[in-house]
Amino acid sequence: MRTTVPTSTISLLKPLKTEIFPEVDKELARWKEKAQKIPDQDLRNQALASIEAKRFHCQGGSLYAFLAGDKWKEAITFIVAYQTISDYLDNLCDRSTSLDPADFRLLHESLRAATHPEHQGKNYYALREEQQDNGYLSELVQTCQSQLAMLELSPVQPTLDRLVSLYTDLQVHKHVAIAERVPRLKRWYEEENTNSELTWYEFAASAGSTLTVFCLVSYALGGKVDKWEANMISQGYFPYMQGLHILLDYYIDQKEDLEENDLNFCFYYPSEAKMQQQFSMFIRRAADQIDQLPDSAFHQMIRNGLVGLYLADPKVKHLPSQRKMVKSLLKESGKTAQLFYSLIRMYYRLK
């Protein structure tokens, strides 16, 4: 594959179709085979469901492999394994037999271990009934570690640790007993957030994305990041790019989250008009921040791709005021987002 970073949809689409996505499919097939051998039925069901229903998370994250140069396959191996951990744990916590925050925190220690090659494994299931996964979660962690083992991680480690810490806190607070969720999230917001422009639910959404981790690891694999650049990338992506990602994800899931009584941050906007206004703000702020980054054209393309991808999802047609929302956000994002939107809509029609 070419080691140049694509800056247009034309230069992106061919390698995405012929090299990146096939490699993602190969990795996911490997993890699906392992998931099928998990002895515990509940763990097996959640592992398989996370791969089947959330495949597009790995496909989207794999775009960052372009930043890894010749190490693009190593980047995909890391991205798929890390995202699979994230999606699997999200399923476990969402459909859990437990409401214990200590259990959720222990499970998510696997993500911290995944970004620390020197960390030894542990029983991440120690505080829950389900135990037997045939080494599935530990092998996912070890796969991430093996891709990072030969890297000099000190420039990016503090930033990775901060991102993993925020992500873990979010997953703990949002999965406890329903009555405790919002109070815990609000207290966390008061402790952690320094951006007066964000509400508690927007800050929480911003903590829930894995994009910056994939960006940093891919740059590190390509040997193209130092501590100053790592901080710059973090500031470019958090909170607005990450927030845009997760708010769009929650936006399309509103109907099913309402049916399942799951927490959805879009429910806390006082009106559809306010939600539209804030989404537009996130689009603008993300564009401004990532414009300062190296390979800024690539990062802008990712932003546009996120908007096009989520708004083109078939689930959007079931949402109130969706036509007005889609039209407004595509106009705010520009022609590239509109192109992604049209291409993805066409893909869904053909599918």
Side-chain angles (χ1 to χ4, degrees):
M1 188 181 76
R2 293 175 299 168
T3 58
T4 55
V5 178
T7 57
S8 69
T9 51
I10 294 173
S11 60
L12 173 76
L13 291 177
K14 184 178 178 181
L16 203 61
K17 180 180 179 181
T18 61
E19 296 174 277
I20 297 288
F21 281 177
E23 192 69 19
V24 171
D25 289 342
K26 186 173 77 173
E27 290 293 318
L28 284 173
R30 180 164 72 95
W31 291 116
K32 182 177 180 179
E33 183 179 354
K34 293 182 183 299
Q36 288 169 336
K37 297 175 183 176
I38 295 174
D40 185 281
Q41 182 178 344
D42 188 53
L43 297 180
R44 182 173 66 251
N45 289 344
Q46 297 307 333
L48 290 170
S50 72
I51 292 172
E52 290 299 324
K54 300 180 180 181
R55 172 180 294 267
F56 76 98
H57 289 172
C58 291
Q59 290 173 327
S62 71
L63 270 68
Y64 287 96
F66 283 107
L67 303 176
D70 292 336
K71 301 288 187 181
W72 66 277
K73 286 188 177 182
E74 288 87 341
I76 289 177
T77 298
F78 175 89
I79 289 165
V80 171
Y82 190 93
Q83 187 63 49
T84 299
I85 297 172
S86 172
D87 290 337
Y88 171 52
L89 297 187
D90 192 47
N91 273 25
L92 281 188
C93 296
D94 266 342
R95 306 289 171 254
S96 186
T97 57
S98 164
L99 291 172
D100 180 4
D103 170 40
F104 300 149
R105 193 166 294 280
L106 179 58
L107 284 172
H108 283 85
E109 284 187 26
S110 59
L111 287 177
R112 181 174 175 84
T115 57
H116 281 265
E118 75 283 2
H119 277 206
Q120 299 298 309
K122 62 170 64 176
N123 179 14
Y124 302 109
Y125 303 106
L127 298 179
R128 61 174 37 228
E129 293 177 16
E130 302 84 7
Q131 294 281 322
Q132 302 303 317
D133 79 345
N134 198 30
Y136 179 70
L137 182 53
S138 291
E139 191 167 344
L140 282 164
V141 170
Q142 290 162 11
T143 297
C144 292
Q145 290 175 327
S146 66
Q147 307 313 307
L148 306 182
M150 302 303 292
L151 296 180
E152 174 50 62
L153 287 175
S154 57
V156 300
Q157 199 75 74
T159 305
L160 288 175
D161 288 348
R162 173 64 173 161
L163 292 165
V164 172
S165 176
L166 287 170
Y167 182 89
T168 298
D169 286 345
L170 170 66
Q171 294 301 315
V172 170
H173 297 321
K174 75 189 281 279
H175 286 116
V176 296
I178 292 174
E180 297 177 26
R181 291 174 185 175
V182 172
R184 288 180 68 118
L185 286 164
K186 286 182 175 179
R187 285 196 299 271
W188 177 55
Y189 165 76
E190 294 295 334
E191 293 165 2
E192 295 284 0
N193 180 56
T194 57
N195 187 331
S196 60
E197 194 169 36
L198 303 182
T199 62
W200 68 264
Y201 45 91
E202 289 168 339
F203 170 76
S206 300
S209 174
T210 51
L211 294 186
T212 316
V213 171
F214 298 156
C215 184
L216 287 167
V217 167
S218 295
Y219 268 131
L221 283 165
K224 296 182 291 187
V225 64
D226 57 25
K227 187 173 182 179
W228 179 82
E229 288 168 326
N231 289 333
M232 190 176 177
I233 290 164
S234 177
Q235 292 167 14
Y237 267 74
F238 185 85
Y240 296 107
M241 185 72 156
Q242 291 210 159
L244 176 64
H245 171 210
I246 299 303
L247 287 170
L248 287 167
D249 195 54
Y250 276 107
Y251 175 71
I252 70 169
D253 284 344
Q254 288 178 85
K255 184 174 181 290
E256 60 198 73
D257 286 346
L258 193 60
E259 292 168 353
E260 296 288 349
N261 202 24
D262 288 338
L263 184 145
N264 187 308
F265 296 127
C266 290
F267 296 160
Y268 296 93
Y269 284 107
S271 66
E272 291 283 328
K274 183 62 176 178
M275 179 164 62
Q276 181 180 309
Q277 176 187 329
Q278 289 300 101
F279 275 38
S280 293
M281 181 273 287
F282 270 85
I283 289 169
R284 291 193 300 273
R285 293 284 192 273
D288 290 343
Q289 288 192 318
I290 60 180
D291 204 41
Q292 311 304 314
L293 299 182
D295 304 306
S296 60
F298 172 81
H299 299 291
Q300 295 288 8
M301 191 163 53
I302 296 288
R303 179 190 67 98
N304 290 321
L306 284 172
V307 175
L309 171 69
Y310 280 103
L311 295 182
D313 192 287
K315 289 186 281 189
V316 170
K317 66 184 179 183
H318 300 295
L319 301 176
S321 308
Q322 53 91 8
R323 290 187 179 181
K324 185 177 180 182
M325 184 77 157
V326 169
K327 183 178 180 181
S328 173
L329 297 186
L330 288 176
K331 183 178 180 181
E332 186 72 61
S333 302
K335 292 182 179 179
T336 303
Q338 293 164 22
L339 175 60
F340 276 115
Y341 174 79
S342 299
L343 289 172
I344 295 162
R345 289 258 293 182
M346 187 184 304
Y347 167 77
Y348 280 124
R349 288 196 197 99
L350 293 172
K351 188 178 179 183

